[in-house]
Amino acid sequence: MPAMCKNSLPIYSNLLEADYAQIPPLSLDELRSFIYETIENWEKGNCLTAADLTAALNYMKYNITSAGIKYLSNQEIPICYFSKVVPKSADMLQILLAIEGIKSCHMPITQTPAGSFDREFDDTYKILIFTIPQYNHLHSFKEFLRIIQTKKLNILVGGNVFYLKPSLKLNFSNCVFPDSIKDILLLINKINSSASEVKV
């Protein structure tokens, strides 16, 4: 997620104090269009304030529960982060995946003072998505990758720190960094297709 948002668009400002129950629900196509438009504005970094983004996400969540989404699989993809607070990027990811029929779940990963983590991953998962919005999470991320390095996992990573300093990606050569949040969909489909071919 871009670090600074300088301007604001009326559509988002109008949602800040809106009573969603008084607004006609969006159709599936309208919701998809709104989600992708918001992502494009979000990635530009100069259209959405933090308050606008929060309002947009809340509006999406309100509509997505009644959008009649049909999921392609019951397998959830964890969206991981090293915080007790859910990053906006994790919310955006979950909404984007949902609108395209992909189940996901928020998975906070916390580290104890002794250095151990409260999460373990078995072969149930093929894909983990990490969002790293703050520099102080990089150490935890590196340590967690070291612990799970023997697992056969596809690690997709993004976040504000890599947007601000792309050279940090060089420290995580075993991970995949999508150019855009939308590219995550293509990568998930590619990984799932490869897994299906191996089974056959």
Side-chain angles (χ1 to χ4, degrees):
M1 171 183 174
M4 297 182 67
C5 301
K6 302 174 185 177
N7 304 311
S8 180
L9 296 177
I11 185 173
Y12 302 111
S13 299
N14 293 339
L15 289 173
L16 288 174
E17 297 181 8
D19 180 358
Y20 301 151
Q22 301 300 317
I23 303 174
L26 297 177
S27 68
L28 189 59
D29 287 340
E30 289 171 332
L31 179 57
R32 179 179 281 107
S33 177
F34 180 74
I35 289 170
Y36 277 91
E37 181 181 359
T38 301
I39 287 173
E40 287 175 10
N41 289 325
W42 179 47
E43 290 188 331
K44 286 177 186 174
N46 63 354
C47 293
L48 297 178
T49 65
D52 292 344
L53 180 59
T54 298
L57 289 170
N58 288 339
Y59 185 55
M60 292 175 196
K61 290 176 188 176
Y62 179 83
N63 279 275
I64 211 161
T65 55
S66 59
I69 293 172
K70 296 181 179 179
Y71 290 100
L72 304 174
S73 167
N74 286 325
Q75 177 70 51
E76 290 184 327
I77 296 176
I79 299 172
C80 308
Y81 45 89
F82 297 93
S83 169
K84 293 181 179 178
V85 178
V86 181
K88 300 299 181 191
S89 50
D91 274 340
M92 184 66 83
L93 269 167
Q94 188 168 43
I95 291 168
L96 173 64
L97 295 180
I99 200 67
E100 298 301 344
I102 300 172
K103 279 190 176 182
S104 64
C105 58
H106 287 165
M107 192 168 283
I109 300 172
T110 57
Q111 194 170 13
T112 67
S116 61
F117 292 95
D118 64 349
R119 296 285 180 184
E120 293 184 5
F121 295 97
D122 54 29
D123 295 333
T124 304
Y125 299 106
K126 298 191 298 284
I127 302 169
L128 298 182
I129 302 173
F130 282 86
T131 178
I132 313 291
Q134 298 179 31
Y135 288 103
N136 62 324
H137 296 162
L138 285 171
H139 176 72
S140 295
F141 181 49
K142 184 178 290 186
E143 282 299 301
F144 192 74
L145 289 179
R146 183 183 62 78
I147 292 170
I148 65 171
Q149 64 183 333
T150 59
K151 306 292 184 183
K152 295 180 180 179
L153 293 166
N154 296 278
I155 310 293
L156 310 182
V157 189
N160 211 28
V161 296
F162 302 110
Y163 172 83
L164 294 171
K165 193 172 181 181
S167 61
L168 288 171
K169 298 175 185 179
L170 299 175
N171 297 324
F172 305 98
S173 58
N174 293 331
C175 300
V176 178
F177 293 86
D179 292 329
S180 164
I181 187 174
K182 292 176 289 186
D183 292 338
I184 289 176
L185 295 166
L186 299 173
L187 290 168
I188 289 173
N189 290 332
K190 184 177 180 181
I191 292 166
N192 286 334
S193 295
S194 297
S196 297
E197 289 173 5
V198 170
K199 288 181 181 179
V200 173

